[in-house]
């Protein structure tokens, strides 16, 4: 969602709008971190956060106390995360059956220690306990703040924290070995063809892989029909400074856009491709979210050609 202030706030709406922008600017990465840990995916966390920002913006006229925006954002994000988790069992991603052969794992961020370990483990907890552990032990909210955000009481939060911490303490020290997924030949063929055409800047060829009503979502910038966007024109302007390859973010197969500098090719952001019956029907591009890969639990990168 691209919203840039170009005015000095004067009227009531302008003041509310300016407060919204300022709060989002300070809170955005923190909010994404929370959504990512609740959903178990940096990409899903970004999508949930985007929906949260749109929802709050649509209700901006209801903002009477700018100081309440922080709590409102977190509460809305939390509710959307719970909705996502409730619906998660119905989600079936064909990408889960695609194997990546060559991988490079990112270095663990420095200085996050116990917080980082907790964030990796909370995915094993039920939603309420997960939220309480994150909000208390990672984001340092008070019991009263947490109770307000999750719709509980201070006593209920204490109980959830106790249960959650006990479950985390009981987890094995070494994570279970993850089974390699079985390759999906059809999806593998489609993704590799997409990459081949994209890296050749063959936009007509890429469009031929998509349905007539394919949807495009570029976080912070655009949502609508691919046919109505200048999506490929924007990539053409980048000339030779980028390349696309296969990869995975938080165990989800995605396309990764690599940028080149003096040290070589480095992953910059992911692109999600959704397909039905061998035809691409949705593209989600996260180029405007530089924090996303840093927030991911794992990033896997195949070596570019």
């Amino acid at each position: 969602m691209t919203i840039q202030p170009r005015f000095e706030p004067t009227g009531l709406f302008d003041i509310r709008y300016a407060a919204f922008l300022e709060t989002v600017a300070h809170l955005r990465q923190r909010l994404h971190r929370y959504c990512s840990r609740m959903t178990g995916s940096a990409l899903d966390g970004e999508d949930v956060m985007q929906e949260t920002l749109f929802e709050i913006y649509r209700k901006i006229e209801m903002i009477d106390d700018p100081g309440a925006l922080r709590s409102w954002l977190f509460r809305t994000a939390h509710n959307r995360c719970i909705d996502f988790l409730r619906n998660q069992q119905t989600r079936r991603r064909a990408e889960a059956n695609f194997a990546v052969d060559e991988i490079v794992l990112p270095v663990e961020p420095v200085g996050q220690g116990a917080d980082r370990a907790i964030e990796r483990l909370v995915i094993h907890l039920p939603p309420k306990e997960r939220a309480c552990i994150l909000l208390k032990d990672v984001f340092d909210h008070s019991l009263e703040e947490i109770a307000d955000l999750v719709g509980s009481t201070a006593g209920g939060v204490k109980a959830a924290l106790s249960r959650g911490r006990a479950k985390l303490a009981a987890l094995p020290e070494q994570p279970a070995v993850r089974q390699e997924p079985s390759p999906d030949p059809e999806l593998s063929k489609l993704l590799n063809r997409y990459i081949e055409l994209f890296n050749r800047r063959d936009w007509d060829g890429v469009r031929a892989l998509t349905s007539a009503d394919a949807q495009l979502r570029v976080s912070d910038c655009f949502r609508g029909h691919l046919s109505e966007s200048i999506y490929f024109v924007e990539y053409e302007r980048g000339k030779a400074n980028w390349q696309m390859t296969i990869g995975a973010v938080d165990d989800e197969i995605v396309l990764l856009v690599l940028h080149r500098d003096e040290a070589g090719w480095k992953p910059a952001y992911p692109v999600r491709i959704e397909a039905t019956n061998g035809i691409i029907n949705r593209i989600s591009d996260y180029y405007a979210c530089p924090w996303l890969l840093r927030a991911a639990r794992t990033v896997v990168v195949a070596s570019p050609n």
Side-chain angles (χ1 to χ4, degrees):
M1 179 174 60
T2 302
I3 303 174
Q4 297 295 334
R6 297 180 180 177
F7 53 81
E8 290 295 326
T10 53
L12 182 57
F13 177 83
D14 289 354
I15 292 172
R16 289 169 171 168
Y17 184 52
F20 170 77
L21 290 172
E22 183 178 1
T23 302
V24 169
H26 286 92
L27 200 62
R28 180 161 185 157
Q29 291 194 45
R30 186 177 175 91
L31 194 65
H32 175 256
R33 187 178 172 194
Y34 176 74
C35 292
S36 296
R37 298 309 172 236
M38 282 296 292
T39 62
S41 161
L43 278 73
D44 289 329
E46 177 64 28
D47 290 346
V48 168
M49 187 187 70
Q50 288 277 326
E51 294 296 334
T52 297
L53 297 181
F54 274 116
E55 180 175 341
I56 297 298
Y57 178 70
R58 287 194 297 266
K59 299 176 180 178
I60 197 170
E61 73 280 357
M62 299 171 59
I63 301 173
D64 293 323
D65 177 12
L69 259 174
R70 177 177 177 273
S71 294
W72 195 6
L73 279 164
F74 260 100
R75 188 182 306 110
T76 303
H78 171 77
N79 290 337
R80 284 195 170 269
C81 286
I82 296 300
D83 290 341
F84 172 88
L85 293 171
R86 285 172 179 163
N87 294 329
Q88 195 174 35
Q89 294 303 314
T90 65
R91 294 164 61 91
R92 295 292 183 268
R93 298 189 184 123
E95 291 92 337
N97 293 321
F98 182 88
V100 175
D101 295 326
E102 303 175 60
I103 64 173
V104 178
L105 297 180
V107 177
E108 187 73 14
V110 178
Q112 293 182 332
D115 284 359
R116 189 72 175 184
I118 291 171
E119 289 182 59
R120 287 178 178 272
L121 293 172
V122 291
I123 195 65
H124 299 288
L125 299 177
K128 183 176 179 179
E129 294 169 14
R130 188 184 311 181
C132 291
I133 291 287
L134 284 170
L135 291 168
K136 181 61 179 174
D137 295 346
V138 176
F139 294 97
D140 198 29
H141 286 248
S142 69
L143 294 178
E144 291 73 19
E145 288 175 321
I146 298 171
D148 179 58
L149 292 175
V150 304
S152 184
T153 64
V157 171
K158 283 184 179 179
L161 286 170
S162 178
R163 292 193 304 270
R165 288 166 178 165
K167 291 175 183 177
L168 290 179
L171 289 175
E173 293 185 6
Q174 296 297 327
V177 177
R178 182 173 173 266
Q179 296 293 322
E180 286 295 326
S182 301
D184 179 339
E186 290 302 316
L187 180 65
S188 174
K189 182 179 178 180
L190 178 63
L191 294 181
N192 280 294
R193 181 60 175 162
Y194 186 96
I195 291 170
E196 177 190 354
L197 294 169
F198 215 99
N199 287 342
R200 288 194 343 224
R201 280 56 167 173
D202 183 352
W203 310 127
D204 289 337
V206 174
R207 288 189 185 93
L209 300 178
T210 67
S211 65
D213 59 349
Q215 296 292 304
L216 171 67
R217 179 173 182 173
V218 182
S219 291
D220 261 11
C221 299
F222 179 84
R223 178 194 281 183
H225 287 93
L226 176 63
S227 60
E228 299 172 354
S229 76
I230 57 170
Y231 183 58
F232 300 121
V233 174
E234 291 296 325
Y235 273 100
E236 184 66 35
R237 291 170 180 167
K239 300 188 182 300
N241 294 327
W242 60 263
Q243 188 172 2
M244 185 174 280
T245 189
I246 201 75
V249 175
D250 290 341
D251 300 327
E252 178 185 348
I253 298 301
V254 295
L255 304 182
L256 286 173
V257 175
L258 312 180
H259 282 181
R260 184 171 58 187
D261 58 20
E262 295 81 1
W265 294 100
K266 294 182 180 179
Y269 55 88
V271 176
R272 250 179 176 167
I273 300 293
E274 298 179 33
T276 302
N277 298 325
I279 301 295
I280 295 169
N281 52 31
R282 182 177 296 272
I283 300 172
S284 299
D285 190 303
Y286 298 88
Y287 97 92
C289 310
W291 54 81
L292 199 151
L293 293 184
R294 295 194 299 269
R297 290 177 289 109
T298 58
V299 178
V300 174
V301 187
S303 299
N305 295 325

